Each structure stands twice: as structure tokens, then as C-alpha cells.
Amino acid sequence: MSPSWERAAVLAPLVLHAGLLYSGIFAAAELRFGFAQALSVMMFLAVAMCWLEAFFVPIEALYPLLLVGAALCAPLPAFFAGRLSPDAASLAQSSEFRLHLIFGMLAYSLFTVAMLHALLIARVESRLHGTPGLGGPFAQLPPLLTLERLVFMLIGAAFAVLTVTLVIGIAYSEAFIGRALRLEHKTVFVILSWLIFGLLLVGRWRYGWRGRTALRWTLAGFVLLMLGYPGSRFVLEVLLHRA
């Protein structure tokens, strides 16, 4: 399949996904944003980012894993509509909350793309140890050092966006509940993830961390991040049946 056909084949479901998100979340009469909506938005943005990135860097080898993830997450809001919070009307009118939500989903998506790139590097290194060369979509990939620099650029951008998300979250929390920070499971996991990614960036800058060390830190930070909003909302909505 030629690159132009690949881009068109990815763009068509991407546009459909955007329409479903708009009608189900942004144009809906009630604000419902649970774990299913978060995962759907996160994967939509991740696919969109990789689709744009493919114009400049040949990373089509990411598509199988990325599109499977998007295909699994896109229909989730139809099965898990999300429980309506008693404060939904007030939150929907809060500019701080809307900004917090936008920046949060952008950070989650950037970290998802960075994680996929890190897994791709690990896969390429594994194949290189077992075979003398790379075939198929792996043959078109840029050098590993270029991919590695790209991963840390993505992590740096995601870390900056997550920092802004936390700052906005503190601001809206103080305005909405009168407390700058409410220590709950979601907040604790996100802050731990923020610390891990911050340490990873320091380790890269100070000690030149790369390879498996960087992958382990990236994986740990990403798992904690996923346990943050999507994980905590899944427990509340599905297991505990609470808003």
C-alpha cells in the first residue's frame, strides 16, 4: 500500500471518530466524561498526531498497534456513557475545568505516542539482535538514535503540558472547592507519573539514559498515568457505580 493510500485509509476513520466524539461529548446536552470518553479522546488525538507525524518521519510501523488501540477505544462511550456528576452543570461552565480537560487529554495523548515510539524502538532493537536486517515497514524507519531523540522530544512536550494541566487543576480546584489540591487516587497517580517523567528527563540530560533504562521509566510513568484518570474513573463508574 502506498503512503498516500495509507494516509487516506487512516484519515477516513479518523474523521468519523472526530464526528462521534463531537456529537457524544461536546454537542451533548449533559457533560459526561468518564473513563470511556477519556480513552476515546486520547486515542483519537494519538492517531491524529501520528498521522501528521508520518508526513515528516516514516513511522508507519506504528500503525498496527495504534489503530488496534483506537478501534478498541472508539466505541467504548457507546457501552459506558459515564455517570453524571452532581456538579456537571457547574463544571461545564468553568473555563478552568475546560482548560484542565483539554490540556489533560493532550498530555495523555502525547505520552501515549511517546510510549508507542519507545515500544517501537524496543521492537526494532529486538529484531536487530535476531536478524541481520529489517524488512517490511521496519525497513523504512529512521535510525534508532533519531527515533530515540524523537521519544524524548515527545516526553518533554508531554511533561510540559502535564505540568500546565496540574497548575490549571490546582487553580480550578481552589476556585471550585476552596482547596488548592484534593488528594485523591487520581491526583496521587498523576503526580507520581509527573515525578517519574521529570526524573526520566533529568536522567536523560544528566546521565544520558537511553535504551532499556529509558523504556522502563517510560513504561512506569505511563502505567501510573493510566491509573490516574482512566483507571480511577473505571473503578468509580463500573465497579463502584459512583459519579
Side-chain angles (χ1 to χ4, degrees):
M1 187 181 291
S2 69
S4 58
W5 276 105
E6 284 183 354
R7 294 188 187 108
V10 173
L11 182 60
L14 190 62
V15 171
L16 177 61
H17 193 176
L20 292 173
L21 288 175
Y22 177 79
S23 61
I25 299 174
F26 302 103
E30 298 172 326
L31 176 64
R32 293 176 182 267
F33 200 85
F35 83 95
Q37 290 80 7
L39 290 174
S40 185
V41 171
M42 181 184 79
M43 291 308 302
F44 165 76
L45 291 174
V47 173
M49 289 174 189
C50 288
W51 186 81
L52 291 172
E53 182 189 357
F55 281 93
F56 308 98
V57 182
I59 46 87
E60 286 81 2
L62 279 178
Y63 279 169
L65 185 59
L66 179 69
L67 295 178
V68 167
L72 292 174
C73 292
L76 284 179
F79 300 97
F80 303 96
R83 300 179 69 84
L84 188 64
S85 170
D87 304 320
S90 302
L91 288 173
Q93 300 302 318
S94 169
S95 58
E96 292 91 350
F97 176 76
R98 289 197 295 269
L99 283 174
H100 177 70
L101 196 62
I102 291 169
F103 276 94
M105 286 299 96
L106 183 58
Y108 269 77
S109 303
L110 282 167
F111 278 123
T112 300
V113 175
M115 184 67 213
L116 289 171
H117 281 66
L119 290 175
L120 179 63
I121 290 174
R123 177 62 175 160
V124 170
E125 288 181 335
S126 175
R127 285 177 64 97
L128 284 174
H129 285 126
T131 59
L134 295 172
F138 293 100
Q140 305 300 320
L141 287 172
L144 282 178
L145 288 177
T146 301
L147 281 175
E148 196 171 70
R149 284 195 296 269
L150 185 56
V151 168
F152 280 96
M153 287 174 59
L154 288 166
I155 291 175
F159 180 79
V161 176
L162 185 60
T163 303
V164 174
T165 304
L166 290 171
V167 170
I168 296 174
I170 290 172
Y172 102 75
S173 179
E174 187 169 11
F176 193 71
I177 65 172
R179 239 182 14 247
L181 194 63
R182 182 168 58 183
L183 284 181
E184 51 190 6
H185 292 90
K186 174 189 70 174
T187 307
V188 171
F189 281 126
V190 171
I191 289 176
L192 287 174
S193 175
W194 180 82
L195 288 173
I196 284 178
F197 280 117
L199 288 171
L200 172 59
L201 291 172
V202 171
R204 168 71 172 184
W205 168 69
R206 187 74 176 81
Y207 304 108
W209 287 355
R210 58 187 302 272
R212 293 190 178 275
T213 300
L215 177 62
R216 291 191 193 101
W217 281 78
T218 303
L219 180 59
F222 184 74
V223 169
L224 286 172
L225 193 67
M226 293 304 294
L227 289 174
Y229 190 86
S232 63
R233 293 304 302 180
F234 175 82
V235 172
L236 286 173
E237 294 170 27
V238 178
L239 302 183
L240 301 180
H241 303 288
R242 288 165 51 190

